[in-house]
Each structure stands twice: as structure tokens, then as C-alpha cells.
């Protein structure tokens, strides 16, 4: 049964309150409202230089400047949760196993998304507000983010498309199970503390090529986790407010929030010409494997990869498959 939630409380103890005069972007009206980007510096020139040294293949801890952005305040998140469409909500109980392989079996928490976010400090839950860029003010923030990283990203992986943003709000001890994501991702810690256990996307012990292919064919992102075999192959990244972590495409990871307090994180993701080519090659490889061939992994034969990617582009154009 859903409980009556009270709003998130700020660090000063004051309750976040939903303003009756919120504008269409979810923030207060007038100058200095939530839609105002001001002079926020998301990443310094030095951080962008470090990012350029590793993008797109290697993870990297960065520092960001969004912790105090009004769009990410507790008041703003309470408002945003209340107006997030059903198709952009995901939330469940937070005390689940790392090996949460069956996505359909993850237990619910008995609350609404608004109640979950409002009482996250005590309800032992995990919540995600997906695609917050559908709201104009957040879209402006996403645009500013991509303007900032474009000098690094575009020369390395080509055109950017599907720029998206998700906000994760998680209780103390909450776990996001072992999984992969198909996007380039910079995860920015806004409030609280969490640890991301991150693995190499090219580690065939953790993520065989057949599992890459299966993901692109089915969209099933959660992975089986074998602690005895995998733990020493990953690296933990402890994230505090102001920390960010670049997570390469399909780098397996799981996440655990610190045992006290709660966590708010902003995930900025994007697809690229490079990641899309990889996706198409894996889809063709999946088809080839099903008819008895043993296809080479992406990158082993660039000319073959180009042919495979173009072949799958034709398959998509005539509507024989769906996008993953």
C-alpha cells in the first residue's frame, strides 16, 4: 500500500515544498528560476583535456560544477517527479541483489514515483526519472552539456545523436544490479555517495561477444554476476558530490549507494556514429552466428565492419528489425 510521502529534506533540514506558481519547466517563475543556466561551468578546460586523453574507450573520474544547479535541488526533483509521464518513470525496491538478472522480477516498492522521490531518505528504494530533456529547462541543460563536450566527442566518434539525461534518486544501501548500457555516459554525483563497480567492455570473461550480440538483439541489459570470477576484474569508483565518472559504451557495471544518507546522480548519455556502427556490426554478427558462422568481433577487421554496418543499415531501412 502506498504511504503518504513528505518531501525530501535539504541538508539544512527544511522540507522541499511544491510551489503553486511553478512554470512549465518545473521551476519558479521569474528571474533566477530553475530554467536559468547562468554562468555554470560544467567541466573546466583541464578536465576536458583529461577527458580527451581517454575518450571513448577508457573510464575516467572527473570533477563537475553542477552540484548547486537549481534544476537538481531537492525542491526541483520533487516537482519533476510529480510531473514525469509514466513512460519515463522507473522505480523499485532498492535492497536487491547485484545479480538482478531477471528484470521483470525486481520487486516494486508500493509507492508512486512522486512518493518514492519525496521520501527517498527512508523508503529503501531506487528511482530513475528518464529522459528529463523532455522538459524545456532540462533540455537547455543537456544542450549546454553537449556544447561543452563537443570539442572532445565529435572528432573522436563523429556525430552525436539521441542526447538524453536521466536522474537517479536512491536510498541508502540501494543497489543498481549488474548491467550494460548502449550509450556513452557521464554519471555526475550531485548529492550523497555511491560506489560504481566498473568492468571493461572488452573483457570476454565478463561480457562475451555473444552477450554483446544478445543485448543488441533483445535489449536485455541486466547481466548475470559471478562474484567469484568477476570481482577482481572490476574497479570500484567512489563518487562524492562533484565527482563524475565517464562510463564507456557497454562497460558492465553495478552501483551501490553508501549505507547512510541518500544519493542523487545525473546521467548524461549520448549515441555516436561510432557507437551506432558497433551496434550494427553486433546485430549482423548475431544473425551470422545463428546460421552457424563464427563472426569476428568489431574492430578486428575494419573493412568487414564497414560492410556489415552498411548491410544492417539496409535491413533497418526496410523495417526488418528494431533499434537497440
Amino acid at each position: 500500500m502506498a504511504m503518504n510521502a513528505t518531501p525530501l529534506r535539504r541538508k539544512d533540514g527544511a522540507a522541499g515544498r511544491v510551489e503553486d506558481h511553478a512554470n512549465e519547466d518545473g521551476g519558479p517563475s521569474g528571474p533566477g528560476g530553475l530554467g536559468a543556466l547562468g554562468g555554470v561551468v560544467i567541466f573546466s578546460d583541464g578536465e576536458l583535456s583529461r577527458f580527451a586523453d581517454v575518450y571513448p574507450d577508457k573510464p575516467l573520474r572527473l570533477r563537475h560544477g553542477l552540484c548547486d544547479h537549481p534544476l537538481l535541488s531537492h525542491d526541483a526533483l520533487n516537482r519533476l517527479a510529480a510531473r514525469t509521464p509514466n513512460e519515463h518513470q522507473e522505480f523499485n525496491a532498492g535492497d536487491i541483489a547485484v545479480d538482478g538478472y531477471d528484470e521483470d522480477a525486481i520487486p516494486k516498492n508500493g509507492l508512486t514515483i512522486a512518493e518514492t522521490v519525496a521520501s527517498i531518505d527512508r523508503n529503501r528504494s531506487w528511482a530513475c526519472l528518464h529522459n528529463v530533456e523532455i522538459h524545456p529547462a532540462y533540455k537547455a541543460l543537456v544542450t549546454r552539456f553537449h556544447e561543452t563536450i563537443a570539442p572532445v566527442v565529435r572528432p573522436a566518434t563523429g556525430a552525436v545523436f539521441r542526447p538524453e539525461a536521466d536522474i537517479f534518486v536512491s536510498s541508502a544501501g540501494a543497489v543498481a544490479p549488474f548491467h550494460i548500457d548502449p550509450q556513452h555516459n557521464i554519471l555526475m554525483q550531485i548529492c550523497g555517495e555511491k560506489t560504481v563497480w566498473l568492468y571493461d567492455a572488452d573483457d570476454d570473461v565478463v561480457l562475451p561477444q555473444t552477450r554483446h550480440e544478445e543485448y543488441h538483439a533483445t535489449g536485455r541489459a541486466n547481466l548475470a554476476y559471478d562474484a567469484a570470477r568477476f570481482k577482481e576484474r572490476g574497479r570500484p569508483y567512489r563518487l562524492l558530490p562533484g565527482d563524475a565518472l565517464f562510463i564507456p559504451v557497454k562497460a558492465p557495471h553495478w552501483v551501490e549507494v553508501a549505507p547512510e544518507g541518500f544519493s542523487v546522480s545525473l546521467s548524461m548519455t549520448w549515441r555516436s556514429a561510432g557507437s551506432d556502427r558497433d551496434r550494427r556490426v553486433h546485430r549482423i554478427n548475431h544473425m551470422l552466428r545463428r546460421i552457424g558462422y563464427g563472426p569476428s568481433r568489431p574492430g578486428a577487421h575494419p573493412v568487414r565492419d564497414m560492410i556489415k554496418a552498411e548491410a544492417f543499415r539496409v535491413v533497418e531501412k526496410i523495417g526488418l528489425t528494431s533499434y537497440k
Side-chain angles (χ1 to χ4, degrees):
M1 180 179 295
M3 59 184 277
N4 292 326
T6 55
L8 280 172
R9 293 187 174 271
R10 300 194 299 268
K11 292 179 181 178
D12 61 7
R17 181 166 56 91
V18 177
E19 299 286 350
D20 293 334
H21 57 283
N23 63 24
E24 66 174 4
D25 292 337
S29 306
L34 295 182
L37 291 176
V40 171
V41 176
I42 300 177
F43 297 116
S44 68
D45 289 344
E47 293 298 87
L48 289 173
S49 178
R50 294 177 60 239
F51 182 40
D53 288 340
V54 304
Y55 180 80
D57 298 320
K58 296 180 181 179
L60 179 68
R61 188 197 306 273
L62 297 159
R63 292 291 294 174
H64 70 84
L66 290 180
C67 282
D68 295 323
H69 197 288
L71 282 173
L72 304 173
S73 71
H74 298 166
D75 286 351
L77 296 181
N78 281 321
R79 283 191 291 269
L80 182 62
R83 52 197 293 273
T84 295
N86 290 341
E87 63 270 24
H88 295 292
Q89 305 174 8
E90 185 179 2
F91 56 103
N92 49 252
D95 49 352
I96 61 175
V98 173
D99 186 7
Y101 189 72
D102 187 349
E103 298 168 32
D104 297 326
I106 294 176
K108 303 303 180 183
N109 64 5
L111 308 176
T112 67
I113 185 66
E115 291 168 339
T116 298
V117 171
S119 61
I120 200 68
D121 58 337
R122 58 191 181 278
N123 62 30
R124 302 179 67 183
S125 297
W126 174 95
C128 181
L129 306 176
H130 287 292
N131 300 112
V132 299
E133 73 280 355
I134 65 172
H135 304 282
Y138 290 89
K139 182 176 181 179
L141 181 57
V142 173
T143 298
R144 170 72 68 85
F145 172 87
H146 281 284
E147 290 172 348
T148 299
I149 67 170
V152 173
V153 168
R154 290 181 182 273
T157 54
V160 169
F161 59 100
R162 293 183 69 174
E164 297 169 343
D166 299 332
I167 297 176
F168 298 98
V169 185
S170 313
S171 298
V175 168
F178 198 43
H179 68 283
I180 56 175
D181 297 307
Q183 312 98 329
H184 309 275
N185 180 9
I186 294 182
L187 179 67
M188 291 178 276
Q189 190 67 9
I190 305 301
C191 169
E193 176 186 338
K194 64 171 46 170
T195 298
V196 180
W197 280 86
L198 187 61
Y199 298 75
D200 188 341
D202 292 324
D203 186 338
D204 287 335
V205 172
V206 177
L207 189 65
Q209 288 301 299
T210 52
R211 190 60 181 86
H212 279 273
E213 296 161 14
E214 180 188 343
Y215 168 75
H216 287 292
T218 67
R220 301 289 288 187
N222 281 2
L223 302 172
Y225 184 75
D226 185 335
R229 297 175 63 218
F230 293 174
K231 187 170 184 179
E232 298 306 316
R233 306 182 78 89
R235 177 180 174 184
Y237 291 86
R238 181 186 178 211
L239 302 183
L240 300 174
D243 287 335
L245 179 62
F246 170 61
I247 302 176
V249 172
K250 288 183 295 176
H253 57 284
W254 64 276
V255 184
E256 184 174 28
V257 177
E260 296 183 2
F262 61 90
S263 167
V264 176
S265 306
L266 171 64
S267 175
M268 292 285 199
T269 66
W270 64 99
R271 318 280 180 117
S272 67
S275 69
D276 196 50
R277 182 171 55 252
D278 175 85
R279 174 186 69 88
R280 290 190 170 105
V281 172
H282 278 302
R283 288 301 304 268
I284 286 289
N285 283 354
H286 183 258
M287 293 176 175
L288 292 172
R289 202 177 298 277
R290 291 181 65 186
I291 59 175
Y293 289 92
S296 57
R297 66 191 303 146
H301 300 286
V303 174
R304 290 184 194 176
D305 287 351
M306 182 178 64
I307 295 170
K308 289 175 181 178
E310 289 306 311
F312 195 74
R313 191 188 302 273
V314 173
V315 171
E316 285 186 305
K317 185 171 290 187
I318 60 179
L320 295 182
T321 187
S322 59
Y323 190 102
K324 295 288 188 302

